[in-house]
Amino acid sequence: RPPCHTIAESPREVLVAGKALLVAQRGQTLEKAYDTASAAMERGMTRQVAAEGISAFLEKRPACWACEDFEVERAVKLVCEGVAVVGASANAARPSHDVFCKVRNFAPAYAVNPTCAEVAGAPTYANLAAVPSPFAVVNIFRASG
């Protein structure tokens, strides 16, 4: 199983704290970096996500990150208000093309791509500000590599 799947399943607050730790450690001596990491781990152990993660491990069950469930539910509700797909491709073989086509089957969808005139028969817009209708979600694709 690729590490990216494990990372993607981690609670957002854990990922944000981890990134903040890396930024804080930049330029520190090894000893100071260890001290910074120790303090971050101590703070992390007081959070609800830590309690849930430890409980799940001890009970041999998958962790249930309630905050993500709420966020996913909220995002799904927002989709019906419109989705701007930044980087939607005219190339049907690209994932961004497929996502754009699937989204527009059940919600207003706007292709944002300054390099092509249309995606799957729909007009494209050069940037988010050029989209003529309101939207609540932005899905961003970027070039791989």
Side-chain angles (χ1 to χ4, degrees):
R1 187 168 137 99
C4 62
H5 288 274
T6 303
I7 292 169
E9 293 170 355
S10 298
R12 187 176 68 205
E13 77 175 87
V14 171
L15 298 174
V16 169
K19 187 173 183 178
L21 173 61
L22 289 174
V23 169
Q25 289 175 312
R26 190 178 308 157
Q28 291 182 344
T29 65
L30 185 59
E31 183 178 340
K32 178 66 176 157
Y34 278 134
D35 290 342
T36 302
S38 294
M41 286 188 269
E42 287 175 19
R43 284 190 307 276
M45 291 302 295
T46 65
R47 295 186 173 144
Q48 179 58 38
V49 293
E52 170 56 20
I54 292 167
S55 294
F57 175 79
L58 293 174
E59 296 166 13
K60 307 223 182 309
R61 63 172 173 77
C64 179
W65 312 118
C67 61
E68 274 73 22
D69 292 343
F70 167 76
E71 290 172 358
V72 168
E73 184 179 310
R74 189 171 85 183
V76 168
K77 287 179 182 176
L78 288 173
V79 165
C80 66
E81 296 178 28
V83 179
V85 182
V86 176
S89 176
N91 180 347
R94 305 292 303 205
S96 62
H97 183 278
D98 188 45
V99 167
F100 174 75
C101 290
K102 287 179 179 174
V103 167
R104 77 176 181 173
N105 285 332
F106 59 88
Y110 310 99
V112 179
N113 187 333
T115 65
C116 61
E118 66 177 41
V119 172
T124 61
Y125 304 95
N127 54 51
L128 290 171
V131 176
S133 301
F135 53 89
V137 176
V138 178
N139 189 343
I140 301 174
F141 285 86
R142 57 190 180 108
S144 56

